[in-house]
Amino acid sequence: AGTGGGAAPPAGPVVVATRSHLHPGTEHLLGWDVGAGGFRVVIDPAVPALVRRELGDQVRGFLAGHGLDTGDIGAWVCHPGGPKVLDAVTDALGLPEDALAPSRRSLAAVGNLSSASVLHILQGFTEAHRPEPGTWGLVLAMGPGFCTELVLLRW
């Protein structure tokens, strides 16, 4: 027997599509150096320039494949690699200054949590700042290799 109230809305957004891209010849830009003293993070100062040069076309192409552009995205969940990286993402995508505010807040509050950063930011969208149903979102993360991960969401 049902409750008669219909199906409950999903607890979070639905994953619509994903895309991964490894930039050839960039393994020296971002990653880990593992040695006798343990793990040492490697972040080359050239990362923001690479983001400015490459990210815009990648994201626009991904969104266009779904009939969307950057103006259709209402929730940007961007890995906050650091202030310079966030500035580069904003520039590369032509975003309004406040589009990455959740990423900047996360960076200020807890620092760079590595891969878990996007989950911390997404948690804020699912709890305190839940988008309206039908809102498009984009999870954008960059990682070792240098690679880019994109996840298209819909609330």
Side-chain angles (χ1 to χ4, degrees):
T3 60
V14 174
V15 173
V16 176
T18 64
R19 180 175 292 172
S20 298
H21 181 79
L22 178 61
H23 300 264
T26 61
E27 60 279 353
H28 65 283
L29 294 180
L30 186 66
W32 298 97
D33 184 16
V34 182
F39 289 89
R40 183 181 66 82
V41 70
V42 175
I43 304 173
D44 192 281
V47 168
L50 175 69
V51 169
R52 281 187 175 88
R53 188 175 62 247
E54 303 282 336
L55 187 66
D57 288 343
Q58 284 180 14
V59 170
R60 283 188 279 280
F62 176 63
L63 293 176
H66 299 280
L68 301 168
D69 65 36
T70 57
D72 295 316
I73 304 300
W76 291 93
V77 181
C78 181
H79 179 293
K84 291 178 182 177
V85 173
L86 290 174
D87 291 344
V89 171
T90 300
D91 294 347
L93 300 176
L95 298 178
E97 282 300 315
D98 64 343
L100 300 183
S103 297
R104 292 184 191 279
R105 281 193 301 271
S106 174
L107 186 60
V110 296
N112 184 344
L113 298 173
S114 193
S115 301
S117 292
V118 293
L119 299 177
H120 182 260
I121 298 161
L122 187 58
Q123 181 180 17
F125 278 109
T126 58
E127 292 176 355
H129 306 286
R130 187 176 184 83
E132 293 293 319
T135 299
W136 289 101
L138 187 71
V139 175
L140 191 155
M142 294 150 274
F146 184 85
C147 64
T148 309
E149 302 292 333
L150 305 174
V151 180
L152 183 61
L153 304 175
R154 187 100 193 243
W155 268 266

